[in-house]
Amino acid sequence: MSESERVAVAYVPVLHEGYRRFVESHARGARLFVVGPELHVEYRPLAKDIRALPADLAASALAAWGLCAEVAVLDVAGARELAARSPRIAMPAEDVSYQLAERFFARCEVLFDTVFLRWDKTRTAQLLRPRPRREAPAPEAYADLALAAETAAAGSVDWWRRVGAAIRLRSGEVRASANAHNPHPLSAYAAGDPRANFSKGIALELSTATHAEAGLIARAARDGLATEGAVLYVTDFPCPPCAKLIAAAGIARLYFREGYAVLDGQDVLETAGVEVVQVV
């Protein structure tokens, strides 16, 4: 195999449109290697991939598309032989690809395609740019909410995550809150903050804090106040658990100032019909 030849290597647990696009882009008329179980037998996350087809069955189905010059299952011996020939390799940008590239193809030219194929660890923790339906210039109709939320955030003792939220109920009442640690506001400073062990977007549930918007929705429920049709302002884009709470609470419109989206938070809000607006 000459250095100008190209191949594609991919973990293919199921067949769907994403894999067809990957094959079209990187393996049409070329060789495609389906990552076999021998290459990921010790990688625990894939042991939970109950959808996964046997590698040989996936390879046969891909070959039936008639797009590739050859489709084969890749094992350890095959990976070493392939690496020795130094082809240009295209792989999906996901954790199993990075591991295989580091283990076998460190001396090869490897292109990682960002096409979304599945929820792997890399994508699960990815910080995404929120996709607002529109942008709202100040002050529009949220000035009272913005003032309440920003004031609450400024008064927060959660120094590393000073987030505020304010809700306007259908009655017109405005309530505000900020991130607060439990069981005491100073718990993180007395015992240490468990979030210090994780990067942004990772293990979001491992926190001693109640997020500002979650606190607002919970207190409204405790007081018997309906949140359906309410308008919410948050200083930072909601995390996935809070996005699900906002959707389930029937919030009609969500204003946010900044932040990042993780996992399925954005999609959950859109599917629930929440109008997402970024304040500029």
Side-chain angles (χ1 to χ4, degrees), residues 96-171:
V96 66
S97 298
Y98 298 135
Q99 289 200 357
L100 291 177
E102 182 179 1
R103 182 180 175 189
F104 294 105
F105 309 126
R107 296 181 179 273
C108 298
E109 179 186 348
V110 180
L111 166 69
F112 293 104
D113 190 340
T114 56
V115 61
F116 175 65
L117 298 177
R118 63 188 184 89
W119 284 111
D120 70 316
K121 183 177 180 181
T122 300
R123 184 168 291 274
T124 300
Q126 186 178 15
L127 305 184
L128 305 170
R129 187 178 184 84
R131 306 184 308 273
R133 183 176 300 178
R134 61 186 176 90
E135 294 182 344
E140 208 187 69
Y142 59 83
D144 56 340
L145 294 177
L147 177 61
E150 299 289 352
T151 300
S156 172
V157 297
D158 190 358
W159 181 255
W160 295 106
R161 187 71 172 160
R162 304 182 86 183
V163 177
I167 190 170
R168 186 193 302 119
L169 303 170
R170 295 184 69 174
S171 65

Side-chain angles (χ1 to χ4, degrees), residues 45-246:
L46 295 189
K48 301 178 181 179
D49 198 350
I50 59 175
R51 319 163 301 152
L53 297 168
D56 56 347
L57 184 59
S60 297
L62 289 166
W65 289 355
L67 299 173
C68 307
E70 178 187 354
V71 181
V73 175
L74 193 66
D75 56 17
V76 171
R80 289 172 178 161
E81 179 183 353
L82 181 63
R85 297 182 181 182
S86 298
R88 289 181 293 126
I89 303 175
M91 304 180 77
E94 52 187 23
D95 47 7
V96 66
S97 298
Y98 298 135
Q99 289 200 357
L100 291 177
E102 182 179 1
R103 182 180 175 189
F104 294 105
F105 309 126
R107 296 181 179 273
C108 298
E109 179 186 348
V110 180
L111 166 69
F112 293 104
D113 190 340
T114 56
V115 61
F116 175 65
L117 298 177
R118 63 188 184 89
W119 284 111
D120 70 316
K121 183 177 180 181
T122 300
R123 184 168 291 274
T124 300
Q126 186 178 15
L127 305 184
L128 305 170
R129 187 178 184 84
R131 306 184 308 273
R133 183 176 300 178
R134 61 186 176 90
E135 294 182 344
E140 208 187 69
Y142 59 83
D144 56 340
L145 294 177
L147 177 61
E150 299 289 352
T151 300
S156 172
V157 297
D158 190 358
W159 181 255
W160 295 106
R161 187 71 172 160
R162 304 182 86 183
V163 177
I167 190 170
R168 186 193 302 119
L169 303 170
R170 295 184 69 174
S171 65
E173 179 185 357
V174 172
R175 294 182 166 202
S177 182
N179 272 22
H181 285 280
N182 299 289
H184 186 275
L186 298 179
S187 293
Y189 303 101
D193 188 351
R195 290 301 310 160
N197 297 294
F198 302 96
S199 300
K200 290 181 178 180
I202 298 177
L204 292 166
E205 75 284 1
L206 299 179
S207 171
T208 60
T210 297
H211 289 188
E213 54 269 55
L216 282 176
I217 292 170
R219 282 191 285 276
R222 181 192 62 192
D223 295 341
L225 299 174
T227 53
E228 185 174 6
V231 178
L232 183 68
Y233 178 105
V234 291
T235 57
D236 283 49
F237 193 83
C239 69
C242 285
K244 293 176 176 65
L245 280 175
I246 292 168

Side-chain angles (χ1 to χ4, degrees), residues 16 19 26 31 83 92 123 134 153 168 177 210 220 254 261 268:
H16 58 59
Y19 287 99
H26 303 291
R31 301 171 72 191
R123 184 168 291 274
R134 61 186 176 90
R168 186 193 302 119
S177 182
T210 297
L254 169 72
V268 167

